[in-house]
């Protein structure tokens, strides 16, 4: 029962039917492959920045996640082409998109579920859920499964200045700063100020949280306007989470790895 309630932030925009069985996949050298209409975002728009956190140790688990052998943004072509239009509008306003996560395989969701069952494994708490007990992450809606990410038309993203400054690399074991700290103190992400860091399990990450004001509020609203204009819908509990409404696989959850070899 727990496995149907958990997974990771970005999981619970609205109740969905139970996962359907994906179409029979063809097998590649590393396992199942994606349907033919999945693409690498870079093949559609190379100007969108990427910071695929689950392919690294800089995430709320603290290690690279199963199913992310390559730091790629894979999406259905329909969602990728809509995002290309968002990027064109963002660049016209001196901003660029940066994606943190796109398609997420079911095996990664399963790893988040397993992590959730380990109360002692909290090495990244100080950054990602500083004020939230790990045991409350499920009940408070920060973690859940299945996830729309596994359907291939949902992504996590932010805005960065254009041109985009370099971002210091994350070093495992470095001192952590709360994702709710002021922008100048938390991890030096090259994003514009959004009021919290990415994957911040805190009410201040809610898109319309009234405590987020000034430039951070303006930046959240700009991202929402840009995304909504091209058919994306925000999950109100996470300023970074958007789903393409006209998604081609609304009830199918895939499990091919995030890798070029998964594409046809």
């Amino acid at each position: 029962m727990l496995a149907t309630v958990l997974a990771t932030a970005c999981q619970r925009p609205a109740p969905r039917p139970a996962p359907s069985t994906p179409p029979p996949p063809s097998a590649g050298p590393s396992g199942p492959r994606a349907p033919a209409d999945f693409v690498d975002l870079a093949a559609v728009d190379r100007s969108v920045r990427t910071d695929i956190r689950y392919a690294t140790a800089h995430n709320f688990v603290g290690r690279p996640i199963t199913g992310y052998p390559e730091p790629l943004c894979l999406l259905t072509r329909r969602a990728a082409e809509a995002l290309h239009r968002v990027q064109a509008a963002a660049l016209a306003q001196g901003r660029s998109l940066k994606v943190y996560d796109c398609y997420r395989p079911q095996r990664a969701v399963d790893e988040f579920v397993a992590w959730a069952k380990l109360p002692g494994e909290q090495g990244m708490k100080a950054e990602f859920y500083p004020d939230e007990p790990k045991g409350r992450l499920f009940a408070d809606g920060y973690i859940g499964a299945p996830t729309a990410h596994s359907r291939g038309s949902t992504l996590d993203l932010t805005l960065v200045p254009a041109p985009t400054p370099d971002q210091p690399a994350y070093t495992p074991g470095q001192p952590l700063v709360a994702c709710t700290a002021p922008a100048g103190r938390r991890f030096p992400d090259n994003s514009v100020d959004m009021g919290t860091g990415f994957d911040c399990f805190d009410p201040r990450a809610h898109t319309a949280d009234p405590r987020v004001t000034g430039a951070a509020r303006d930046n959240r609203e700009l991202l929402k306007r840009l995304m909504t204009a091209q058919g994306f819908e925000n999950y109100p509990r996470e300023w970074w989470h958007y789903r393409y409404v006209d998604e081609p696989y609304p009830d199918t959850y895939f499990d091919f790895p995030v890798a070029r070899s998964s594409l046809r």
Side-chain angles (χ1 to χ4, degrees):
M1 178 176 179
L2 184 60
T4 64
V5 182
L6 317 178
T8 180
C10 312
Q11 317 297 38
R12 302 172 64 170
R16 306 290 308 186
S20 62
T21 302
S26 61
S30 58
R33 298 180 69 188
D37 60 342
F38 272 74
V39 297
D40 179 354
L41 177 61
V44 176
D45 193 325
R46 302 187 71 85
S47 69
V48 176
R49 312 286 291 193
T50 59
D51 183 5
I52 307 300
R53 293 287 186 88
Y54 299 140
T56 77
H58 191 204
N59 57 64
F60 65 91
V61 176
R63 58 177 179 269
I65 303 301
T66 300
Y68 286 83
E70 297 177 58
L72 303 176
C73 173
L74 305 186
L75 290 169
T76 62
R77 180 171 290 280
R78 192 179 298 176
E81 290 178 348
L83 197 68
H84 168 63
R85 296 191 292 272
V86 177
Q87 174 71 341
L91 290 172
Q93 299 197 42
R95 296 286 185 261
S96 172
L97 302 177
K98 183 176 83 165
V99 295
Y100 294 113
D101 191 36
C102 300
Y103 159 75
R104 183 183 307 162
Q106 182 61 43
R107 66 191 72 184
V109 178
D110 293 343
E111 182 164 338
F112 293 140
V113 171
W115 171 83
K117 296 178 180 179
L118 301 173
E121 193 169 313
Q122 300 193 50
M124 302 299 284
K125 176 177 172 57
E127 179 173 353
F128 292 96
Y129 50 109
D131 300 319
E132 182 80 6
K134 185 177 181 182
R136 292 288 308 171
L137 294 179
F138 322 127
D140 291 346
Y142 297 112
I143 295 182
T147 171
H149 282 276
S150 298
R151 305 198 297 260
S153 298
T154 292
L155 68 158
D156 300 332
L157 79 170
T158 189
L159 294 169
V160 296
T164 307
D166 292 335
Q167 176 175 297
Y170 168 78
T171 303
Q174 73 182 55
L176 301 177
V177 178
C179 58
T180 54
R185 290 181 47 211
R186 60 181 183 259
F187 177 77
D189 190 315
N190 56 9
S191 169
V192 300
D193 184 13
M194 288 292 191
T196 75
F198 165 63
D199 254 5
C200 189
F201 299 168
D202 189 275
R204 280 164 284 193
H206 297 184
T207 308
D209 188 278
R211 290 168 292 180
V212 177
T213 60
R217 166 73 63 176
D218 292 344
N219 290 330
R220 289 186 184 190
E221 291 180 351
L222 174 59
L223 178 61
K224 188 174 182 179
R225 286 197 304 273
L226 292 170
M227 295 294 285
T228 301
Q230 298 302 329
F232 289 91
E233 179 181 61
N234 175 243
Y235 175 37
R237 296 178 70 93
E238 297 166 352
W239 59 257
W240 55 82
H241 176 109
Y242 285 84
R243 177 182 68 89
Y244 189 58
V245 175
D246 190 24
E247 57 181 315
Y249 301 104
D251 303 312
T252 304
Y253 300 79
F254 296 99
D255 191 38
F256 54 86
V258 178
R260 289 179 181 84
S261 60
S262 294
L263 302 177
R264 305 189 187 204

